[in-house]
């Protein structure tokens, strides 16, 4: 054998050099000695402050806060043969994927850690390292060739839109990334975890494990800290059980069934769970019919504004109304607002709804002003739907509606939420300024429930603050709520803004608000949202009596 053909032996130094070149490191964890040792590419993995050896406490301290529970799980002793698989980020480094196994009756563990990019391939979701939707379906099909029972469980993260608004997309992605790591670590290597939607995770568990739903919830609903905020995730879960083998159901069909169960779970409220059943198919068909009806409802005039009175607390006179959308279905009657508004959002019709409500409300207000000159400067508030402030031609549409209905300046009041403003404050300031120029007045809705209102309130052209109803409803029982209400009223006065308190349920609350010098009250103590004809009757009676009636106490 020549020197050229002789096999080359790998020594330890060569192996370490190869690992370093591949951005990979070896690790060995000895719990009894509290020693975690590294060899290889520690710098790109963020492990150089710990190398070549560190304690468990030092390792956890260098881990990003939202991944520390995963670091603790990695270090927790397990029976011999238990695999290690998790995704952990260290300070100043990209995510690392830890692989290994527990050895010698669980006395130590060893394995490799590499940059996630080294593990993630074309079939993986780049954010979490889990299978993407297409690859998940392929893997499910391959796994279910083997006979047996399987659970396919889907979890939808609740309030993802709220997280995006509060944290920004980059930080919200950190939440999703951490949840992906937790999902991967929660199940054995026989399970198939995936991210199948923007905020939707799935896992296929063999042998019909009865605890799959519980284990998934337990993994994803642990608190985590992002950018100084403590996040408490909740998920809505849908599950379907199926048999594997030659007659196994199509993976796409199974995923559809699980997602159908998720929708059922979400209707029950945040953090719900549901299992697939045939009854859901009937519900789904009904939903398709409802979607078709909703598209035609705008054309047929079935969507109409109802008007809730807003009362001047100092004089008792009706100062204006808030227009709230209601759907009068030809067969079902009045459809509950939550039901059709969520469907409207899912179908992408919120901008159409907003424009429709502005037109109808402005026309109705113009008629009332013409018929009731003694009502004074009556106004009507209309909510801008989520994202509508960013819609093309919004300002032009508002200008045209005000001109066509011949409303006085400020009579049409547009309400926006802080979440809409916080997405792009520069754009919001520009749009709000132009809306004021064309004759609309502006209200900031649900003030006190957001994160950064005070930072922008002074430089945004609002006329009105609306105090969230929760603080008003509880101000007679909770000293903190009462202080918040008084603080908002004082802030409004200092900034020359009018303040509307929502949730006025009785005369006692109205009296407390008046003592706090709040300008306006709105709530069931005066009246619920009324059809246009009944709202005009209410206005007439209030004008005749000199004040709007209010309940002495809540029902």
């Amino acid at each position: 054998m020549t020197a050229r053909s002789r096999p080359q032996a790998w020594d330890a130094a060569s192996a370490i050099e190869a690992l370093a070149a591949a951005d990979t490191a070896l690790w060995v964890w000895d719990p009894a000695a509290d020693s975690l040792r590294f060899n290889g590419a520690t710098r790109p993995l963020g492990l150089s402050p710990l190398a070549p050896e560190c304690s468990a406490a030092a390792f956890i301290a260098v881990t990003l806060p939202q991944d520390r529970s995963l670091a603790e799980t990695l270090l927790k002793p397990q029976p011999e043969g238990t695999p290690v698989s998790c995704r952990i980020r260290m300070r100043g480094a990209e995510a690392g994927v830890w692989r290994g196994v527990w050895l010698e009756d669980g006395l130590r563990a060893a394995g490799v850690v590499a940059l996630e990019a080294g593990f993630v391939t074309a079939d993986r979701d780049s954010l979490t390292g889990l299978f993407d939707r297409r690859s998940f379906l392929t893997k499910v099909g391959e796994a279910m060739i083997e006979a047996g029972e399987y659970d396919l469980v889907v979890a939808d993260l609740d309030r993802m839109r709220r997280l995006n608004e509060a944290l920004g997309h980059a930080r919200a992605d950190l939440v999703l990334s951490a949840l992906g790591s937790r999902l991967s670590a929660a199940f054995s290597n026989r399970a198939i975890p995936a991210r199948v939607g923007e905020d939707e995770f799935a896992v296929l568990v063999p042998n019909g494990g009865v605890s799959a739903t519980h284990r998934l919830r337990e993994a994803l609903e642990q608190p985590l800290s992002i950018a100084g905020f403590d996040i408490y995730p909740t998920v809505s879960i849908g599950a379907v059980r199926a048999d594997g083998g030659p007659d196994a159901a199509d993976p796409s069909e199974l995923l559809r069934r699980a997602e159908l169960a998720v929708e059922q779970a979400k209707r029950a409220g945040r953090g719900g769970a549901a299992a697939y059943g045939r009854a859901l198919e009937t519900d789904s068909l009904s939903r398709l019919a409802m979607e078709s009806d909703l598209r035609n409802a705008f054309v047929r005039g079935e969507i109409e504004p109802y008007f809730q009175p807003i009362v001047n607390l100092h004089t008792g006179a009706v100062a204006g109304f808030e227009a709230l959308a209601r759907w009068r279905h030809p067969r079902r009657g009045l459809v509950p607002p939550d039901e059709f508004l969520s469907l409207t959002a899912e179908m992408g019709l919120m901008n159409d709804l907003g424009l429709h409500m502005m037109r109808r409300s402005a026309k109705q207000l113009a008629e009332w002003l013409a018929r009731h000159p003694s009502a004074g400067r009556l106004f009507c508030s209309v909510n801008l739907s989520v994202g509508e402030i960013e819609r093309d031609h919004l300002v032009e549409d508002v200008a045209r509606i005000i001109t066509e209905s011949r409303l006085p300046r400020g009579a049409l009041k547009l309400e926006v939420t802080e979440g809409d403003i916080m997405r792009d404050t520069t754009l919001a300031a520009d749009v709000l300024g132009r809306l004021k120029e064309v004759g609309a007045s502006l209200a900031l809705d649900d003030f006190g429930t957001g994160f950064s209102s005070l930072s922008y309130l002074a430089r945004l052209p609002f006329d009105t603050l609306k105090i969230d109803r929760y603080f008003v409803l509880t101000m007679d029982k909770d000293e903190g709520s009462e202080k918040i209400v008084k603080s908002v009223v004082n802030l409004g006065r200092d900034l020359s803004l009018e303040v509307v308190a929502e949730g006025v349920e009785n005369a006692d609350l109205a009296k407390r608000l008046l003592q706090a010098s709040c300008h306006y009250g709105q709530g069931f103590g005066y009246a619920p949202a009324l059809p246009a004809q009944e709202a005009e009757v209410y206005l007439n009676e209030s004008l005749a009596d000199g004040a709007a009636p209010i309940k002495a106490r809540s029902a």
Side-chain angles (χ1 to χ4, degrees):
M1 181 178 291
T2 66
R4 180 180 295 275
S5 62
R6 185 181 300 117
Q8 298 295 310
W10 279 79
D11 58 19
S14 299
I16 297 302
E17 287 174 2
L19 288 170
D23 287 336
T24 303
L26 296 174
W27 60 269
V28 179
W29 165 234
D30 184 346
D34 191 20
S35 169
L36 183 60
R37 300 192 302 278
F38 303 101
N39 232 323
T42 55
R43 183 180 297 277
L45 292 162
L47 299 170
S48 55
L50 306 175
E53 184 175 351
C54 69
S55 66
F59 174 62
I60 292 169
V62 176
T63 305
L64 287 185
Q66 57 266 32
D67 283 358
R68 284 177 183 167
S69 62
L70 291 171
E72 292 169 354
T73 301
L74 182 147
L75 300 176
K76 184 178 180 181
Q78 301 289 342
E80 182 177 342
T82 301
V84 173
S85 177
C86 59
R87 176 182 181 276
I88 296 175
R89 286 154 300 171
M90 314 302 292
R91 295 186 184 277
E94 298 179 23
V97 177
W98 295 69
R99 301 277 197 238
V101 68
W102 280 90
L103 306 165
E104 301 173 3
D105 294 326
L107 296 178
R108 66 188 181 98
V112 297
V113 54
L115 288 177
E116 186 178 39
F119 283 101
V120 174
T121 58
D123 64 349
R124 298 280 177 165
D125 169 56
S126 59
L127 183 62
T128 63
L130 302 175
F131 287 113
D132 59 23
R133 188 181 186 94
R134 183 176 62 180
S135 302
F136 176 68
L137 294 174
T138 300
K139 295 293 183 182
V140 168
E142 293 171 355
M144 291 187 65
I145 293 173
E146 185 179 339
E149 274 192 338
Y150 296 82
D151 278 342
L152 196 157
V153 186
V154 173
D156 187 284
L157 180 63
D158 298 322
R159 301 177 300 169
M160 187 61 199
R161 182 178 64 81
R162 182 61 173 152
L163 283 176
N164 280 326
E165 291 176 352
L167 302 176
H169 287 280
R171 289 171 175 169
D173 281 349
L174 292 178
V175 175
L176 294 172
S177 179
L179 295 182
S181 297
R182 291 176 175 183
L183 177 61
S184 179
F187 292 91
S188 72
N189 56 5
R190 294 191 62 202
I192 303 173
R195 182 186 179 209
V196 294
E198 180 187 3
D199 52 1
E200 196 172 70
F201 297 91
V203 62
L204 180 78
V205 183
N207 301 323
V210 294
S211 63
T213 297
H214 173 73
R215 197 180 310 167
L216 187 147
R217 186 182 297 282
E218 192 175 59
L220 299 186
E221 292 193 344
Q222 296 297 320
L224 50 88
S225 179
I226 300 288
F229 292 101
D230 291 327
I231 310 297
Y232 296 87
T234 61
V235 291
S236 298
I237 296 178
V240 60
R241 179 163 291 185
D243 293 324
D247 299 322
D250 179 75
S252 297
E253 172 61 16
L254 286 179
L255 184 56
R256 184 191 71 83
R257 292 176 184 177
E259 290 177 328
L260 202 58
V262 169
E263 290 303 313
Q264 177 68 18
K266 291 176 81 70
R267 289 173 203 160
R270 198 169 65 202
Y276 171 80
R278 286 293 177 188
L280 295 185
E281 298 291 354
T282 303
D283 290 344
S284 183
L285 290 173
S286 299
R287 188 174 179 83
L288 284 175
M290 184 72 82
E291 289 178 3
S292 176
D293 288 345
L294 183 56
R295 289 190 184 278
N296 294 319
F298 291 96
V299 179
R300 294 194 293 256
E302 295 167 9
I303 307 289
E304 58 185 85
Y306 273 41
F307 299 90
Q308 186 171 35
I310 299 173
V311 176
N312 186 317
L313 292 168
H314 296 268
T315 66
V318 174
F321 295 89
E322 180 179 358
L324 300 166
R326 297 292 185 265
W327 181 11
R328 195 179 295 280
H329 194 279
R331 295 184 305 279
R332 295 185 54 184
L334 209 58
V335 179
D338 290 348
E339 185 176 332
F340 90 83
L341 288 176
S342 61
L343 187 59
T344 303
E346 289 175 22
M347 294 172 65
L349 296 174
M350 290 302 287
N351 286 341
D352 300 82
L353 177 62
L355 186 57
H356 176 80
M357 286 292 292
M358 278 192 280
R359 283 179 181 144
R360 291 283 300 268
S361 303
K363 181 181 179 183
Q364 184 62 72
L365 178 60
E367 292 177 5
W368 286 340
L369 287 171
R371 286 198 292 266
H372 305 284
S374 61
R377 299 181 61 186
L378 204 64
F379 64 84
C380 185
S381 295
V382 179
N383 294 288
L384 290 181
S385 60
V386 174
E388 194 173 0
I389 195 172
E390 300 167 6
R391 173 172 70 82
D392 292 339
H393 309 301
L394 170 66
V395 177
E396 292 86 346
D397 288 337
V398 171
R400 185 175 61 256
I401 288 169
I402 291 174
T403 301
E404 290 175 351
S405 57
R406 298 181 180 179
L407 288 176
R409 291 187 66 85
L412 180 64
K413 182 172 292 188
L414 302 178
E415 297 187 7
V416 296
T417 63
E418 185 183 349
D420 268 350
I421 295 167
M422 295 303 296
R423 277 205 296 272
D424 187 337
T425 54
T426 303
L427 174 64
D430 175 62
V431 173
L432 294 176
R434 289 192 290 134
L435 288 171
K436 282 290 289 289
E437 288 174 4
V438 300
S441 57
L442 302 168
L444 181 60
D445 198 11
D446 296 337
F447 184 76
T449 61
F451 289 91
S452 307
S453 299
L454 294 178
S455 304
Y456 302 97
L457 193 57
R459 65 183 182 87
L460 291 174
F462 287 109
D463 306 284
T464 305
L465 294 181
K466 296 195 76 172
I467 306 175
D468 184 73
R469 66 190 306 271
Y470 169 80
F471 300 116
V472 177
L473 283 170
T474 57
M475 66 182 294
D476 59 344
K477 310 177 188 69
D478 185 338
E479 185 179 349
S481 292
E482 186 165 23
K483 287 180 179 178
I484 289 173
V485 170
K486 289 180 178 178
S487 297
V488 174
V489 171
N490 290 334
L491 177 66
R493 184 171 58 248
D494 292 343
L495 295 175
S496 300
L497 302 174
E498 295 180 327
V499 180
V500 178
E502 297 182 288
V504 181
E505 300 290 303
N506 54 56
D508 180 60
L509 287 175
K511 182 179 178 181
R512 286 173 177 269
L513 290 164
L514 179 59
Q515 290 171 345
S517 299
C518 185
H519 301 97
Y520 302 106
Q522 174 184 352
F524 284 92
Y526 292 107
L530 303 167
Q533 188 174 0
E534 293 181 27
E536 187 169 9
V537 170
Y538 186 94
L539 176 62
N540 266 325
E541 292 176 348
S542 303
L543 292 172
D545 296 341
I550 185 166
K551 295 177 183 176
R553 65 179 67 85
S554 302

